[in-house]
Amino acid sequence: MNLLITGASVIPMTDGAVLADTDIAVSDGKIAAIGEIPQGMTFDRTIDGRGFVVMPALINTHVHSPMGFLRGCGEGLPLQRWLNEKVFPAEDKLTEQDMYTLTLLGIAEMVSTGTGLFNDMYFFTHKSAEAVIDAKTRACLTYCATDIGNNVEDITTLRAVQNNRRLFADYHGYDDDRIRVSVSPHAIYTCSERLLRFCAEEAARLDTFVYTHLSETVGENADCLTARGVTPTAYLNNIGFFDVPATLAHCVHLSDEDRAILAEHGASVATCPESNLKLGSGICEADKLFANGINVAIGTDGASSNNNLNMFEEMHLFSLLLKGVRQDASLLSPEQVLQCATINGARAMGLAHRTGTLEVGKDADLILVDTQKPHMSPIHNLCSNLVYAAQGSDVHLTMVKGEILYENGQWLTIDVERVKHDTAAICDRIF
Ligand code: NI
């Protein structure tokens, strides 16, 4: 299908420029032209882009997409109690079929707030892959591995390891990278050293990235220092974890040495400001990450600790927190925040050649955001409006690989009423 968007404000995210009154042509799932449209090109549909900004679809670099079923459960608990008392017991009752429904619930929320790619981490992931394919969105998927209290002789017999190998064989690179598969140990406090080493070796074998939670809380750091005499980052470095591309969620409590290690190895950080606030974990020192040249992307974490998957809210908080904590209004330009929520996420997942910017030849993963609402007027600085004034509900259209998934309040690939109904039934059974 060929589609033309006319007369829009376009932010390609290649250099922070805003192109006024610009046309974009989409052909066979890819961006065919920006600005000058080749003569003779014909279109199945033309969208009047006046009053909208067109930008790359947002990228949620750390999420557990099916966790919406826990939205509002365990309020007021710190991370470890929240996990042990609320999350793990409820997750034990999930079935494989539940995961299809719950992933769709997460995707529905994400596409309606402008997210076209997410870096997921959960289990029964084959069902999440089916949901991604049916909803026609894009994701990095993985079976999250843990082995504490599960002393298997041979790591490769762990169910999560076997399942992830199957997932990789079945879906890695599926439909021109609609799906990619990573290797994901949950965290240093739920995985043995043996498993962590194995995951890095496995990622090297499969030529993909490792993906884990790192230094989310002071307690995690303190326990690691007590048990091993080093920080979590130094511990992982000592066992070769960063010898492969790594994407690390949270990184709230890093030392200067930790940041130097991550910078040296080219690791990416997925900061999750809202989840870190809600669980009382702290505030990521993103300015120091930037100063070290580390690739910083943004995630929502699961809806259970956020409590939504709205990347616009995440962008606001990310920027405001840093300015407030440092008492420095000059930190983080709006363009820099938008980069973190787009191209930096693509880099963190090895997908920068496909998505994250609007460039001819890249996949048409883009959103239209309404700029005609009172809170978006006037437009002195469009990037500033997007980061500080816009709401997720201002997203008018979300397109992935040239296909429209959401437009004008309607989901075109997901039966949302059905998904909400089925989610309620799952919750009736579990709680
Ligand atoms: Ni998480």
Side-chain angles (χ1 to χ4, degrees):
M1 166 154 159
N2 287 3
L3 188 142
L4 180 67
I5 304 167
T6 59
S9 299
V10 176
I11 306 181
M13 292 306 305
T14 46
D15 57 3
V18 178
L19 313 175
D21 192 15
T22 294
D23 300 345
I24 295 190
V26 171
S27 177
D28 292 332
K30 297 196 182 299
I31 296 169
I34 301 173
E36 194 93 348
I37 304 301
Q39 276 200 340
M41 227 184 143
T42 57
F43 296 98
D44 304 293
R45 184 180 166 196
T46 299
I47 294 173
D48 182 354
R50 286 173 300 174
F52 296 102
V53 56
V54 181
M55 63 175 288
L58 301 177
I59 297 177
N60 187 340
T61 306
H62 179 59
V63 64
H64 313 281
S65 65
M67 283 186 89
F69 80 108
L70 281 161
R71 205 188 311 267
C73 290
E75 293 297 325
L77 294 177
L79 178 69
Q80 288 306 332
R81 284 192 58 202
W82 174 73
L83 285 174
N84 292 323
E85 294 171 26
K86 296 293 174 184
V87 175
F88 295 151
E91 285 179 339
D92 282 345
K93 296 180 189 159
L94 288 174
T95 69
E96 205 164 343
Q97 191 52 39
D98 294 343
M99 213 57 77
Y100 178 78
T101 297
L102 296 176
T103 304
L104 280 181
L105 182 74
I107 293 172
E109 187 183 350
M110 285 190 273
V111 298
S112 69
T113 50
T115 292
L117 163 63
F118 60 99
N119 193 19
D120 216 18
M121 183 200 284
Y122 216 52
F123 54 98
F124 292 144
T125 314
H126 274 76
K127 288 293 169 187
S128 295
E130 288 176 21
V132 167
I133 290 165
D134 290 350
K136 300 184 175 180
T137 190
R138 171 170 238 158
C140 281
L141 302 173
T142 185
Y143 278 84
C144 185
T146 62
D147 71 337
I148 293 286
N150 184 358
N151 261 330
V152 291
E153 210 157 279
D154 177 359
I155 284 278
T156 61
T157 63
L158 276 179
R159 209 152 19 132
V161 168
Q162 293 190 338
N163 284 335
N164 208 55
R165 285 183 167 177
R166 245 182 349 109
L167 187 77
F168 192 91
D170 293 344
Y171 291 112
H172 185 68
Y174 176 89
D175 189 16
D176 287 337
D177 288 332
R178 180 182 296 283
I179 295 176
R180 285 173 68 84
V181 175
S182 68
V183 179
S184 170
H186 173 262
I188 62 159
Y189 53 87
T190 43
C191 298
S192 67
E193 180 179 324
R194 210 160 51 111
L195 178 58
L196 292 164
R197 279 182 193 276
F198 170 83
C199 285
E201 290 159 10
E202 180 88 333
R205 264 193 300 275
L206 300 176
D207 191 19
T208 188
F209 63 99
V210 282
Y211 173 30
T212 193
H213 298 95
L214 180 65
S215 278
E216 183 171 356
T217 61
V218 168
E220 175 185 335
N221 279 27
D223 289 349
C224 188
L225 280 163
T226 303
R228 305 174 189 281
V230 291
T231 63
T233 302
Y235 164 51
L236 287 179
N237 190 41
N238 291 344
I239 62 173
F241 195 78
F242 302 126
D243 294 347
V244 287
T247 294
L248 309 160
H250 304 300
C251 295
V252 178
H253 303 284
L254 297 183
S255 67
D256 290 343
E257 293 75 22
D258 292 341
R259 280 182 285 268
I261 289 169
L262 299 186
E264 186 194 333
H265 290 88
S268 293
V269 170
T271 182
C272 305
E274 195 154 354
S275 173
N276 296 156
L277 286 180
K278 188 152 189 291
L279 293 171
S281 301
I283 295 168
C284 173
E285 299 181 284
D287 52 341
K288 294 184 179 174
L289 298 173
F290 288 118
N292 277 271
I294 293 167
N295 182 48
V296 179
I298 305 177
T300 58
D301 212 349
S304 43
S305 63
N306 187 302
N307 290 357
N308 59 41
L309 308 180
N310 174 0
M311 283 289 289
F312 280 90
E313 202 169 291
E314 220 63 43
M315 284 195 288
H316 303 317
L317 268 178
F318 171 58
S319 180
L320 297 180
L321 277 171
L322 199 60
K323 289 170 189 288
V325 164
R326 295 285 188 246
Q327 300 182 37
D328 182 353
S330 73
L331 286 175
L332 284 179
S333 68
E335 292 80 5
Q336 204 174 4
V337 178
L338 290 173
Q339 272 171 6
C340 294
T342 55
I343 183 65
N344 291 6
R347 286 193 188 112
M349 291 178 244
L351 278 167
H353 61 299
R354 297 267 188 210
T355 189
T357 57
L358 303 183
E359 292 179 74
V360 172
K362 273 198 179 184
D363 290 351
D365 295 357
L366 57 82
I367 57 176
L368 269 68
V369 182
D370 189 348
T371 59
Q372 297 299 296
K373 296 187 179 176
H375 63 269
M376 294 290 275
S377 304
I379 302 173
H380 293 300
N381 177 333
L382 190 53
C383 291
S384 164
N385 277 16
L386 287 167
V387 171
Y388 298 115
Q391 305 295 320
S393 51
D394 297 335
V395 171
H396 174 76
L397 179 150
T398 300
M399 176 189 290
V400 174
K401 286 165 85 66
E403 187 134 3
I404 299 171
L405 313 187
Y406 176 84
E407 184 176 6
N408 201 17
Q410 303 293 316
W411 286 265
L412 304 182
T413 57
I414 300 172
D415 181 345
V416 169
E417 290 310 316
R418 173 80 195 266
V419 169
K420 286 192 295 182
H421 173 271
D422 291 352
T423 299
I426 291 166
C427 290
D428 282 347
R429 195 189 76 231
I430 289 180
F431 298 105

